[in-house]
Amino acid sequence: MLGAMMGDGAVLAAVAKMNRDRRDAEQEQPQAQPNVRTSQDPKRRLQYPCIVGTYSQIKSICSAAQCEGQAHHIIPDFTKRYGNREDGVAGRKRIPGMPTFNDGASICLNGMAAEEQSEHAEAHGADALIEGLGSGKSYYPAGTAPILLIAAEATNQLLMMKAGDIECIAKIRAAVAAELLPVNSNLLGRTTPDALPPIGSPQYDALSRGMTATRH
């Protein structure tokens, strides 16, 4: 039913093409991408240390790191589970082969996720882009996409936000690379931030079984 699996090379090529297309679009029309919120005050991004590590390593120090915010999973945790956040924290309904909630690469960001114009809210601008990957036009089933493509969208959002902070960019890239090293880059991740896959649906079946990506 799922057809032939994509090779790692195909996914890497897709990521490279996505990044090239994005750079070309930015050069032609330098403005914020649709569905991506950008900060009204970019200077504040450099007013506190760039703290990156696993969620368990940094969650208790972000609020005390002069960023007045929270730890944020660089690759959103919802993409690594088919249950709700409570399930994910407890280790239930996580996609086989994905990191745990506490092991996910994370960064301290200013503000709360629901706080308008905060840096944390801006990072969640990637959620809509991730959701677009699971439209069902390219990968089966709808509501899923290769974790490598999901990671690219989420990481690029943060790299854009931290543009000019070379040290922080290096930390982000290193943390994401370390998280993905043991993970099959073709492994399907969830792309629906606000909706859980219904039990018995193709999305639920693919995620709960740890299936890999196939193209239509």
Side-chain angles (χ1 to χ4, degrees), residues 27-107:
Q27 290 173 359
E28 293 174 5
Q29 191 173 4
Q31 60 183 23
Q33 298 179 49
N35 300 321
V36 178
R37 285 181 283 191
T38 55
S39 174
Q40 295 293 318
D41 184 10
K43 292 182 180 179
R44 73 178 178 177
R45 299 172 188 164
L46 303 179
Q47 293 177 348
Y48 56 89
C50 177
I51 298 175
V52 176
T54 66
Y55 190 85
S56 62
Q57 288 172 334
I58 71 171
K59 64 179 180 180
S60 63
I61 62 176
C62 286
S63 60
Q66 300 175 6
C67 72
E68 299 178 353
Q70 297 174 319
H72 167 78
H73 284 92
I74 298 173
I75 305 171
D77 189 69
F78 77 81
T79 67
K80 307 167 198 172
R81 52 181 163 81
Y82 53 98
N84 59 30
R85 181 183 174 92
E86 182 180 355
D87 287 329
V89 172
R92 300 186 299 267
K93 295 187 177 180
R94 298 198 68 84
I95 299 169
M98 294 289 192
T100 67
F101 182 90
N102 281 325
D103 287 340
S106 303
I107 183 171

Side-chain angles (χ1 to χ4, degrees), residues 7 13 22 33 40 70 78 85 113 140 150 153 208-209 216:
R22 176 172 294 167
Q33 298 179 49
Q40 295 293 318
Q70 297 174 319
F78 77 81
R85 181 183 174 92
Y140 181 87
I150 290 171
E153 290 288 14
S208 64
R209 293 171 59 187
H216 283 307

